[in-house]
Amino acid sequence: MAERYPFPDLNTLPEDIRARILEVQEKAGFIPNVFLAFARRPAEWRAFFAYHDALMLKEEGSLTKGEREMIVTTTSAANQCLYCVVAHGAILRIYEKKPLVADQVAVNHRKADIPPRQKAMLDFAMKVCQRAHEIEDADYEALYPHGFDDEDIWDIAAITAFFGLSNRMASFAGMQPNPEFYLMGRLPREKKA
């Protein structure tokens, strides 16, 4: 399925959105499609990226950037979201400096080459993703020995829930991953001249 909703022209976007997109382009070398797809509705774009940044860029808590991306990749695979698995899998490979980790956690995190802490984290995230109504005290208790506190557990659940929204938006709209994402973190980065 092709992308159903055409991307707006970058030059027609409100200045705050345009500036952020250009900043991302400068850093990444391309514009991830999600930035343009949501830009067609500026109020929703601002709300989406404000919550994204609050969850994914926060400094507090014990979750690493790689662990946050691991949650996104694993639960996005469960939700069958091609865009998020490919895009966040690329970021995960870079943060963890492990070219195989994204494929492993997307297919079966229990068989992935990750430590018990991350397996426990992903077990919880998958339960939130698929059966949040069944979460009980025992699910929290399973995370405490791995160094997670109640605020970390909130983060795991919030990331899972937020990307559940993102997965559904990307999938229904036919959002396709940028080709650049497929190789990111798999091969040594080319040196810029």
Side-chain angles (χ1 to χ4, degrees):
M1 174 174 158
E3 292 171 6
R4 178 172 297 272
Y5 296 93
F7 295 155
D9 181 333
L10 190 60
N11 296 315
T12 66
L13 296 177
E15 184 51 37
D16 62 317
I17 294 174
R18 189 174 159 297
R20 172 82 185 271
I21 291 173
L22 292 174
E23 179 183 307
V24 168
Q25 181 181 31
E26 175 69 25
K27 184 175 180 186
F30 65 99
I31 301 172
N33 288 339
V34 67
F35 283 88
L36 293 172
F38 282 133
R40 61 189 306 278
R41 293 189 171 197
E44 291 174 36
W45 188 100
R46 290 180 186 104
F48 180 88
F49 283 103
Y51 196 34
H52 171 279
D53 294 352
L55 293 172
M56 301 301 284
L57 303 180
K58 71 184 278 190
E59 301 290 328
E60 308 81 27
S62 75
L63 296 181
T64 67
K65 289 180 179 180
E67 287 172 337
R68 292 170 195 279
E69 295 296 339
M70 199 173 285
I71 294 165
V72 177
T73 303
T74 303
T75 60
S76 294
N79 291 328
Q80 300 183 47
C81 180
L82 176 64
Y83 185 90
C84 292
V85 170
V86 173
H88 290 276
I91 300 166
L92 170 58
R93 289 189 298 272
I94 291 167
Y95 282 156
E96 293 291 304
K97 296 177 179 56
K98 294 167 81 174
L100 306 181
V101 69
D103 297 330
Q104 292 173 350
V105 299
V107 174
N108 184 348
H109 72 275
R110 290 183 188 95
K111 304 271 187 199
D113 182 21
I114 57 175
R117 168 187 163 88
Q118 293 174 342
K119 287 181 182 175
M121 173 190 75
L122 295 177
D123 283 343
F124 184 82
M126 288 296 287
K127 189 165 183 180
V128 170
C129 177
Q130 298 173 322
R131 302 180 329 279
H133 61 282
E134 294 177 11
I135 296 290
E136 56 191 8
D137 288 344
D139 297 302
Y140 287 80
E141 296 298 329
L143 291 171
Y144 297 146
H146 296 283
F148 296 107
D149 64 21
D150 285 346
E151 296 305 313
D152 296 323
I153 295 168
W154 178 286
D155 288 341
I156 296 166
I159 291 165
T160 300
F162 174 77
F163 280 93
L165 162 78
S166 182
N167 297 159
R168 285 157 181 81
M169 293 299 292
S171 292
F172 101 85
M175 195 183 308
Q176 295 299 304
N178 301 67
E180 293 90 343
F181 282 126
Y182 286 95
L183 294 180
M184 287 172 56
R186 293 188 193 275
L187 304 172
R189 193 169 185 170
E190 294 178 19
K191 302 278 190 230
K192 293 183 180 177

